[in-house]
Amino acid sequence: MGTSEGQPEPEWDIRPARPAVVEAIAELRAVVMRPDLERLGRYDEHRVRQRLRDGFSPGHTSIITSAGAFAGSIALRPSDSGHWLEHFCLDPALQGRGLGSAVLRALLTRTDTSGDLVRLNVLWGSPARRLYERHGFTVKTQDPIDVLMLRRPKGNPADEGTSWTSSTRRPAERSR
């Protein structure tokens, strides 16, 4: 999801999810995951949405907005040994413009500061894997469907004042 040359990163913000957004996230997830799931012969129109609903935790999920509109979601669920990164979906029209990297960078600054491991599953062959690898995730295990990735915390971030809040977004005046 690197920024296209000469194209500024989109303005973005993030806020806590509310239970009412579950259907919007489930629909976006179905759209975003469909090509990979179809390629793997695993697309089920109902199941792709239901898995999101079943795993949805508003307390650990954030909504991403860009230019004031719903752009995606991301969840960081605590576990015994760190966190699971889940439900990271962006509107396909916004992919490839640096938004995913900006959101992921902000989230990882938070987990680096707290010293937490971050794990995630990505579908085998998904282009999202390149995004995760650019941000320090490595493959732990894989099978014909899923790739389990892990990121160990980095040393203290250069900007220790950065936190996982809307203040981590790129200001509009800098993105023009």
Side-chain angles (χ1 to χ4, degrees):
M1 282 198 180
T3 305
S4 299
E5 195 166 323
Q7 185 178 12
E9 176 185 293
E11 179 183 344
W12 65 280
D13 201 356
I14 194 157
R15 66 176 191 267
R18 295 190 175 141
V21 300
V22 69
E23 291 306 317
I25 297 171
E27 188 57 37
L28 178 61
R29 181 179 192 269
V31 168
V32 169
M33 292 188 70
R34 185 175 189 146
D36 286 329
L37 289 169
E38 284 181 340
R39 176 180 46 76
L40 295 168
R42 310 265 308 176
Y43 184 75
D44 177 305
E45 188 172 327
H46 174 72
R47 185 169 185 237
V48 70
R49 290 168 178 85
Q50 194 60 46
R51 285 192 64 177
L52 181 284
R53 291 179 194 115
D54 292 346
F56 182 68
S57 173
H60 301 298
T61 305
S62 297
I63 298 301
I64 303 160
T65 60
S66 181
F70 173 69
S73 69
I74 191 165
L76 190 63
R77 183 178 48 85
S79 72
D80 290 340
S81 60
H83 287 90
W84 280 94
L85 175 66
E86 301 172 320
H87 311 307
F88 188 18
C89 299
L90 289 177
D91 182 322
L94 297 172
Q95 293 178 11
R97 298 177 45 204
L99 179 58
S101 284
V103 171
L104 195 52
R105 196 169 33 252
L107 177 133
L108 294 173
T109 296
R110 179 178 138 195
T111 60
D112 286 345
T113 299
S114 63
D116 291 332
L117 291 171
V118 180
R119 289 180 176 80
L120 62 84
N121 278 318
V122 65
L123 290 172
W124 186 88
S126 171
R129 179 175 168 176
R130 290 189 304 274
L131 169 71
Y132 299 130
E133 288 172 338
R134 284 195 309 271
H135 288 274
F137 285 87
T138 58
V139 174
K140 184 162 170 76
T141 63
Q142 60 185 332
D143 62 33
I145 304 296
D146 294 307
V147 178
L148 174 63
M149 302 186 82
L150 171 71
R151 183 180 182 276
R152 299 190 184 284
K154 304 290 182 207
N156 290 333
D159 178 10
E160 292 190 8
T162 302
S163 64
W164 181 240
T165 66
S166 60
S167 65
T168 61
R169 73 179 187 276
R170 186 174 185 165
E173 56 272 345
R174 288 181 46 206
S175 67
R176 289 190 180 128

